[in-house]
Amino acid sequence: MSTVLAQSLHVFGLRAHVTNNIFYFDEQTIIFPSGNHCVKYNVDQKWQKFIPGSEKSQGMLALAISPNRRYLAISETVQEKPVITIYELSAIPCRKRKILNNFDFPVQKFISMAFSPDSKYLLAQTSTPESNLVYWLWEKQKVMAIVRTDTQNNAIYQVSFNPQDNTQVCVTGNGILKLLRFAEGTLKQTNFQRGEPQNYLSHAWVSDDKIVVGTNTGRLFLFESGDQRWETNIMMKEHSSDTKPLDVIHESESLIEFPPPSSPVPSFEQLTPANSHTQLTLPQVFAIAAYSKGFACSAGQGRVLLFEKVEDKDFYRESREIRVPVDPQSNDPSQSDKQEILCLCFSPSEETLIASTSKNQLYIIAMSLTEISKGEPAHFEYLMYPLHSASITGLATCIRKPLVATCSLDRSVRIWNYETNTLELYKEYQEEAYTISLHPSGHFIVVGFADKLRIMNLLIDDIRSFKEYSVRGCRECCFSHGGHLFAAVNGNVIHIYTTTSLENISNLKGHTGKIRSIVWNTDDSRLISGGTDGAVYEWNLTTGKRETECVLKSCSYNCVNITPDAKIIFAVGSDQTLKEITDSSILREMSAFDVIYTAIVISHSGRMMFVGTSMGTIRAMKYPLPLQKEFNEYQAHAAPITKMLITFDDQYLLTAAEDGCLFTWKVFDKDGRGIKREREVGFAEEVLVTKTDMEEKAQIMLELKTRVEELKMENEYQLRLKDMNYSEKIKELTDKFIQEMESLKTKNQVLKIEKEKQDVLHREHMDTLLGKQSRELQDLVVSMLHEASIRGELKSSGRDNQAQEDVRKQLREFEETKKQIEEDEDREIQDIKTKYEKKLRDEKESNLRLKGETGIMRKKFSSLQKEIEERTNDIELLKGEQVKLQGVIKSLEKDIQGLKREIQERDETIQDKEKRIYDLKKKNQELEKFKFVLDYKIKELKKQIEPRENEIKVMKEQIQEMEAELERFHKQNTQLELNIAKLWQKLRATDQEMRKEKQKERDLEALVKRFKTDLHNCVAYIQEPRLLKEKVRGLFEKYVQRADMVEIAGLNTDLQQEYARQREHLERNLATLKKKVVKESELHRTDYVRIMQENVSLIKEINELRRELKLTRSQVYDLEAALKLAKKIRPQEAPETEPSKDIPGAAPPTVRLSEQEETGRIIEMQRLEIQRLRDQIQEQEQVPGLHPVAAVRLPSLLESEVNFEVN
């Protein structure tokens, strides 16, 4: 096993669609499913403990807790098989008590479970189409009974035991409501459904024989022993104003007593036309939970109703309404409460109620709050914090703060604190968020939304955007380690931005498919990317070019990462392997063992590696990677893991998945010690606040301070008034009480006298009764003396006892009547006392109110008198001011006359200015004429300039085209260089393969030689079958080994892959050769035409040479004839004279022979040349794609010889 360990610390998430997904373990601890775990969460101390799911589990389906809170049953699917695991909750840590996985009946999965009241039996319901109800004695794994609850493939939602009876169970579903009883080894139905079948979603036992059932149409039924006793409809009304949205209507106490026709309670049909302005919707009752006063049920989206039992009657009335609170951080707060309540649970003391919703949220409310809020609906509170309700698509952490940022398809961005396990910030948006990255300082985030890429500030209480980029559907973004750059993916292009000027400084292009993962190296000089096209590229950010690349088109990569020393790249993808890539080649592949790796992360120390799988598990490995299957696997999530991170100090591992859960893990080595890295500086505590927010808060604080001062003064005044009022009230009450006490004393004396009279009468009555009784006894004794003495004595003693008993009984009755009379008197006294006390209190309150009003009126009167005095003083001051103003008016009139004179003078100057303006207008007209002439000249010059501008424009376009062509040539050159490099690499690889194959061939030849020698030795025993058989068996054992056979079987796949690769390589070579052949055929065609023309010219020369040869032969023949005649004429001159050199015929016969040899040699040379040319033509004709241009054939050599001989 690996030496790297991980321990789950905390989880942020809930799996809402697990049946019965929330329970109370005790008053402070709750249990709920999250990921592939069950979580025990302490509400007060905020700690979590985990109950992991089964190994290779595909997710939990249903939960059940025993009534004694000792056992927890979990229904799961493990490797396509259903399993029920029962845990013992009292053990620390929780341990598995029983595993139920061997079934004698067909089952796909268990969808609902319940424990019996004594926790000995387990009830489990299977899914359709089997729909079997199984009754287990789970400790012995014994099936006590099994019955099919439905035969029409209707959905079944819930099963339960009677809380007081092990043998009675209830099953509800779509059109199914069955009460069954276990007897004689079978489950028998005890009720019969009457009326129209409903879709029964949930039920709860409210007593020994009463069940409340809820439907999908908002109807609640009460059944007693299978018979319906009460029914009500819950109707959701969406009003235009904020009025109460839920009304319980159409209540009937029983099926027998229907309301009369004149009943004031309207039916649902009567309400529909009357309330046409309101929209009626039918709420679905998904959950019902019983408690001592009644029950709670979900009543539509975001609402819970509490029903209490009416005393002495068999029906319930609505008492309270509880709503899911409106979320102010939501993009649409009105939609935050539009979530269904799926499960409800009361605490053991019934002090709190917990609810889980369809959006993976947990809410809690104290029942005391519901009693306080009368009339208005109460509101839930978050149990922990708002959780993600959809797949988490982005995960990021920073260096300076213990923060984790997540984004999800639920359109929210959340900032978590992994040290305090709290939610720091949270905000919802209109678009889905695909990716997120947190700046190393922890003050900024980059989020990729469906429409844009946004950079946001993390303020103290808000997430606020300050820059947007038009990058649609950004699936990956990442800040560099230094925080000065960030990369964002747009399809198959990576944009690099700087965080200082927020500008796009580079675009990295090269991927042909979508990019799925990007990662920076430690010094931020390189960026590694992997995508669905099977390419892993390493980019140099200074040049913007690829440095290394590794392309495997058969694999779609999910995630890439790089070691801290930036030497090895790790990549995981769809081919179920973990690849080590270095220098553009795959160094090593490690199998994932039938799962797909979806995420990979390496610690900053370079000693640990964690990978996430498509099954939701985490594998912890030691780095460097071992050769064998050596890792620790942990059950984490119930869906494929999307993102994984390790914090900067290598203390925590963070994982997120498609199930919407975020896990934090503590990382340990084999000895259990944490892998610690020393932090030079602690976590930062600074937060961002905008200036406007600070100013607004300062202003609010000032306003609140002034308000506080005002309230203090007002409170002091009110307290003084109240003290006065209370002192007066106390005086009045004391007087009143004294009077009442005196009256009560007199009354009490009267009552005492009456009581004494009653006592006397009662004693007299008792005395008479006793006398009468004694006389009757004496008579009976006398009458019975004649009977047997023993019998008489016994009977008389029995009767005495009976008489005494009667006396005692009468005394007791007397005491009881006395006590009742005294109690009635005390009650009347108390009623009178309270009545008069109330009157006294009211009178004192009215007196105090009147005194306060009189005090206020006195104060108003004194303030008005002061105001009158102030007004008289103001009038005197105003009169003095009036005298002053009259003097001012006189001085102003003098100023007006002076100003009138100035106006006359200015009018004269204005006339002079107008004359000047007239002259200037004339000059302006002349200048406009000049302007017109100059404009005409400018137009002429522009017309002359336009052709040159057009020429310049054309030249610029040519320059741009040439630059584009130059750039294209540069790209082609770079592409050719890349192709050359690829070909060199392929050549080196083929050379290595060739050397390997040669070595293999040599080894095989040696093996064959050894085998031949051994076989030759075996042949010697051909006449001895037994020895021959042993020798052949020895040969088989020597040369045919099992490992070789396994290797051969395993190599078949490798051979097929190699064959496919060689075939692809040969097909590519064949295509290139065909292209070359086509090109060479063009060249050979021209050569062929040229050779044909040369052949024709040579044939012509041969024919001319033949003619010349013929002529020379005839001349030789003539000369030979002439020489013969000369010899006949002068035979005698021959010995005397020497032959003359001048005479051509005088040459000896050797001359003729030399000429024949010469001509024969020439003919032979021509024949060889012709033969060579014909062979060359045949070779060219055999080459595919080459055909002779003309159908000209050379004359055969035999024909030419025949013609020659004829000639």
PDB file of all heavy atoms in Angstrom, residues 913-927:
ATOM      1  N   LYS A 913     -21.127 101.550 -32.072  1.00  0.00           N
ATOM      2  CA  LYS A 913     -20.674 100.169 -32.312  1.00  0.00           C
ATOM      3  C   LYS A 913     -21.439  99.515 -33.464  1.00  0.00           C
ATOM      4  O   LYS A 913     -20.879  98.745 -34.253  1.00  0.00           O
ATOM      5  CB  LYS A 913     -20.884  99.331 -31.036  1.00  0.00           C
ATOM      6  CG  LYS A 913     -20.002  99.773 -29.857  1.00  0.00           C
ATOM      7  CD  LYS A 913     -18.642  99.154 -29.925  1.00  0.00           C
ATOM      8  CE  LYS A 913     -17.771  99.576 -28.749  1.00  0.00           C
ATOM      9  NZ  LYS A 913     -18.156  98.936 -27.510  1.00  0.00           N
ATOM     10  N   GLU A 914     -22.721  99.822 -33.596  1.00  0.00           N
ATOM     11  CA  GLU A 914     -23.508  99.252 -34.690  1.00  0.00           C
ATOM     12  C   GLU A 914     -22.999  99.723 -36.043  1.00  0.00           C
ATOM     13  O   GLU A 914     -22.956  98.944 -37.007  1.00  0.00           O
ATOM     14  CB  GLU A 914     -24.985  99.604 -34.506  1.00  0.00           C
ATOM     15  CG  GLU A 914     -25.661  98.786 -33.405  1.00  0.00           C
ATOM     16  CD  GLU A 914     -27.099  99.190 -33.227  1.00  0.00           C
ATOM     17  OE1 GLU A 914     -27.507 100.185 -33.849  1.00  0.00           O
ATOM     18  OE2 GLU A 914     -27.826  98.482 -32.469  1.00  0.00           O
ATOM     19  N   LYS A 915     -22.632 101.014 -36.126  1.00  0.00           N
ATOM     20  CA  LYS A 915     -22.043 101.504 -37.383  1.00  0.00           C
ATOM     21  C   LYS A 915     -20.756 100.740 -37.693  1.00  0.00           C
ATOM     22  O   LYS A 915     -20.511 100.345 -38.835  1.00  0.00           O
ATOM     23  CB  LYS A 915     -21.743 103.004 -37.254  1.00  0.00           C
ATOM     24  CG  LYS A 915     -22.993 103.868 -37.247  1.00  0.00           C
ATOM     25  CD  LYS A 915     -22.620 105.334 -37.091  1.00  0.00           C
ATOM     26  CE  LYS A 915     -23.882 106.215 -37.030  1.00  0.00           C
ATOM     27  NZ  LYS A 915     -23.519 107.648 -36.841  1.00  0.00           N
ATOM     28  N   ARG A 916     -19.955 100.515 -36.670  1.00  0.00           N
ATOM     29  CA  ARG A 916     -18.710  99.771 -36.859  1.00  0.00           C
ATOM     30  C   ARG A 916     -18.996  98.348 -37.325  1.00  0.00           C
ATOM     31  O   ARG A 916     -18.306  97.814 -38.197  1.00  0.00           O
ATOM     32  CB  ARG A 916     -17.947  99.761 -35.525  1.00  0.00           C
ATOM     33  CG  ARG A 916     -16.654  98.994 -35.539  1.00  0.00           C
ATOM     34  CD  ARG A 916     -15.625  99.660 -36.377  1.00  0.00           C
ATOM     35  NE  ARG A 916     -14.361  98.933 -36.331  1.00  0.00           N
ATOM     36  CZ  ARG A 916     -13.419  99.027 -37.255  1.00  0.00           C
ATOM     37  NH1 ARG A 916     -13.598  99.838 -38.321  1.00  0.00           N
ATOM     38  NH2 ARG A 916     -12.294  98.377 -37.139  1.00  0.00           N
ATOM     39  N   ILE A 917     -20.026  97.760 -36.777  1.00  0.00           N
ATOM     40  CA  ILE A 917     -20.407  96.391 -37.170  1.00  0.00           C
ATOM     41  C   ILE A 917     -20.832  96.348 -38.625  1.00  0.00           C
ATOM     42  O   ILE A 917     -20.532  95.392 -39.359  1.00  0.00           O
ATOM     43  CB  ILE A 917     -21.532  95.873 -36.242  1.00  0.00           C
ATOM     44  CG1 ILE A 917     -20.964  95.579 -34.829  1.00  0.00           C
ATOM     45  CG2 ILE A 917     -22.195  94.614 -36.790  1.00  0.00           C
ATOM     46  CD1 ILE A 917     -22.013  95.412 -33.779  1.00  0.00           C
ATOM     47  N   TYR A 918     -21.546  97.382 -39.090  1.00  0.00           N
ATOM     48  CA  TYR A 918     -21.981  97.435 -40.487  1.00  0.00           C
ATOM     49  C   TYR A 918     -20.782  97.437 -41.422  1.00  0.00           C
ATOM     50  O   TYR A 918     -20.750  96.729 -42.433  1.00  0.00           O
ATOM     51  CB  TYR A 918     -22.860  98.673 -40.684  1.00  0.00           C
ATOM     52  CG  TYR A 918     -23.381  98.825 -42.103  1.00  0.00           C
ATOM     53  CD1 TYR A 918     -24.376  97.964 -42.594  1.00  0.00           C
ATOM     54  CD2 TYR A 918     -22.866  99.811 -42.946  1.00  0.00           C
ATOM     55  CE1 TYR A 918     -24.835  98.099 -43.894  1.00  0.00           C
ATOM     56  CE2 TYR A 918     -23.326  99.954 -44.238  1.00  0.00           C
ATOM     57  CZ  TYR A 918     -24.315  99.087 -44.707  1.00  0.00           C
ATOM     58  OH  TYR A 918     -24.776  99.223 -45.988  1.00  0.00           O
ATOM     59  N   ASP A 919     -19.777  98.244 -41.078  1.00  0.00           N
ATOM     60  CA  ASP A 919     -18.562  98.275 -41.900  1.00  0.00           C
ATOM     61  C   ASP A 919     -17.879  96.913 -41.913  1.00  0.00           C
ATOM     62  O   ASP A 919     -17.411  96.435 -42.963  1.00  0.00           O
ATOM     63  CB  ASP A 919     -17.607  99.346 -41.351  1.00  0.00           C
ATOM     64  CG  ASP A 919     -18.205 100.757 -41.481  1.00  0.00           C
ATOM     65  OD1 ASP A 919     -19.065 100.938 -42.372  1.00  0.00           O
ATOM     66  OD2 ASP A 919     -17.844 101.621 -40.672  1.00  0.00           O
ATOM     67  N   LEU A 920     -17.817  96.286 -40.754  1.00  0.00           N
ATOM     68  CA  LEU A 920     -17.170  94.975 -40.692  1.00  0.00           C
ATOM     69  C   LEU A 920     -17.930  93.911 -41.483  1.00  0.00           C
ATOM     70  O   LEU A 920     -17.339  93.001 -42.053  1.00  0.00           O
ATOM     71  CB  LEU A 920     -17.056  94.531 -39.227  1.00  0.00           C
ATOM     72  CG  LEU A 920     -16.064  95.327 -38.373  1.00  0.00           C
ATOM     73  CD1 LEU A 920     -16.215  94.955 -36.912  1.00  0.00           C
ATOM     74  CD2 LEU A 920     -14.637  95.075 -38.834  1.00  0.00           C
ATOM     75  N   LYS A 921     -19.250  94.021 -41.547  1.00  0.00           N
ATOM     76  CA  LYS A 921     -20.041  93.064 -42.337  1.00  0.00           C
ATOM     77  C   LYS A 921     -19.704  93.180 -43.816  1.00  0.00           C
ATOM     78  O   LYS A 921     -19.622  92.179 -44.529  1.00  0.00           O
ATOM     79  CB  LYS A 921     -21.524  93.308 -42.104  1.00  0.00           C
ATOM     80  CG  LYS A 921     -22.029  92.714 -40.802  1.00  0.00           C
ATOM     81  CD  LYS A 921     -23.533  92.927 -40.669  1.00  0.00           C
ATOM     82  CE  LYS A 921     -24.043  92.271 -39.381  1.00  0.00           C
ATOM     83  NZ  LYS A 921     -25.488  92.502 -39.208  1.00  0.00           N
ATOM     84  N   LYS A 922     -19.526  94.445 -44.277  1.00  0.00           N
ATOM     85  CA  LYS A 922     -19.137  94.624 -45.685  1.00  0.00           C
ATOM     86  C   LYS A 922     -17.804  93.934 -45.955  1.00  0.00           C
ATOM     87  O   LYS A 922     -17.625  93.255 -46.970  1.00  0.00           O
ATOM     88  CB  LYS A 922     -19.051  96.112 -46.006  1.00  0.00           C
ATOM     89  CG  LYS A 922     -20.405  96.771 -46.172  1.00  0.00           C
ATOM     90  CD  LYS A 922     -20.235  98.221 -46.579  1.00  0.00           C
ATOM     91  CE  LYS A 922     -21.598  98.884 -46.804  1.00  0.00           C
ATOM     92  NZ  LYS A 922     -21.452 100.306 -47.214  1.00  0.00           N
ATOM     93  N   LYS A 923     -16.836  94.190 -45.057  1.00  0.00           N
ATOM     94  CA  LYS A 923     -15.544  93.526 -45.228  1.00  0.00           C
ATOM     95  C   LYS A 923     -15.704  92.009 -45.200  1.00  0.00           C
ATOM     96  O   LYS A 923     -15.033  91.273 -45.944  1.00  0.00           O
ATOM     97  CB  LYS A 923     -14.602  93.958 -44.111  1.00  0.00           C
ATOM     98  CG  LYS A 923     -14.081  95.375 -44.273  1.00  0.00           C
ATOM     99  CD  LYS A 923     -13.095  95.690 -43.158  1.00  0.00           C
ATOM    100  CE  LYS A 923     -12.563  97.127 -43.312  1.00  0.00           C
ATOM    101  NZ  LYS A 923     -11.603  97.468 -42.247  1.00  0.00           N
ATOM    102  N   ASN A 924     -16.579  91.498 -44.371  1.00  0.00           N
ATOM    103  CA  ASN A 924     -16.813  90.054 -44.275  1.00  0.00           C
ATOM    104  C   ASN A 924     -17.337  89.506 -45.591  1.00  0.00           C
ATOM    105  O   ASN A 924     -16.958  88.413 -46.019  1.00  0.00           O
ATOM    106  CB  ASN A 924     -17.789  89.785 -43.133  1.00  0.00           C
ATOM    107  CG  ASN A 924     -17.836  88.311 -42.780  1.00  0.00           C
ATOM    108  OD1 ASN A 924     -16.991  87.546 -43.190  1.00  0.00           O
ATOM    109  ND2 ASN A 924     -18.838  87.935 -42.008  1.00  0.00           N
ATOM    110  N   GLN A 925     -18.236  90.233 -46.282  1.00  0.00           N
ATOM    111  CA  GLN A 925     -18.746  89.798 -47.573  1.00  0.00           C
ATOM    112  C   GLN A 925     -17.625  89.688 -48.598  1.00  0.00           C
ATOM    113  O   GLN A 925     -17.559  88.721 -49.373  1.00  0.00           O
ATOM    114  CB  GLN A 925     -19.826  90.767 -48.048  1.00  0.00           C
ATOM    115  CG  GLN A 925     -21.121  90.657 -47.248  1.00  0.00           C
ATOM    116  CD  GLN A 925     -22.145  91.683 -47.670  1.00  0.00           C
ATOM    117  OE1 GLN A 925     -21.855  92.498 -48.580  1.00  0.00           O
ATOM    118  NE2 GLN A 925     -23.313  91.666 -47.029  1.00  0.00           N
ATOM    119  N   GLU A 926     -16.741  90.703 -48.609  1.00  0.00           N
ATOM    120  CA  GLU A 926     -15.614  90.633 -49.544  1.00  0.00           C
ATOM    121  C   GLU A 926     -14.731  89.413 -49.230  1.00  0.00           C
ATOM    122  O   GLU A 926     -14.282  88.715 -50.142  1.00  0.00           O
ATOM    123  CB  GLU A 926     -14.797  91.920 -49.437  1.00  0.00           C
ATOM    124  CG  GLU A 926     -15.563  93.132 -49.967  1.00  0.00           C
ATOM    125  CD  GLU A 926     -14.779  94.429 -49.766  1.00  0.00           C
ATOM    126  OE1 GLU A 926     -13.678  94.328 -49.170  1.00  0.00           O
ATOM    127  OE2 GLU A 926     -15.257  95.488 -50.183  1.00  0.00           O
ATOM    128  N   LEU A 927     -14.487  89.171 -47.953  1.00  0.00           N
ATOM    129  CA  LEU A 927     -13.671  88.016 -47.587  1.00  0.00           C
ATOM    130  C   LEU A 927     -14.344  86.696 -47.989  1.00  0.00           C
ATOM    131  O   LEU A 927     -13.678  85.723 -48.347  1.00  0.00           O
ATOM    132  CB  LEU A 927     -13.416  88.035 -46.084  1.00  0.00           C
ATOM    133  CG  LEU A 927     -12.474  89.132 -45.582  1.00  0.00           C
ATOM    134  CD1 LEU A 927     -12.489  89.184 -44.073  1.00  0.00           C
ATOM    135  CD2 LEU A 927     -11.063  88.894 -46.080  1.00  0.00           C
TER     136      LEU A 927
END
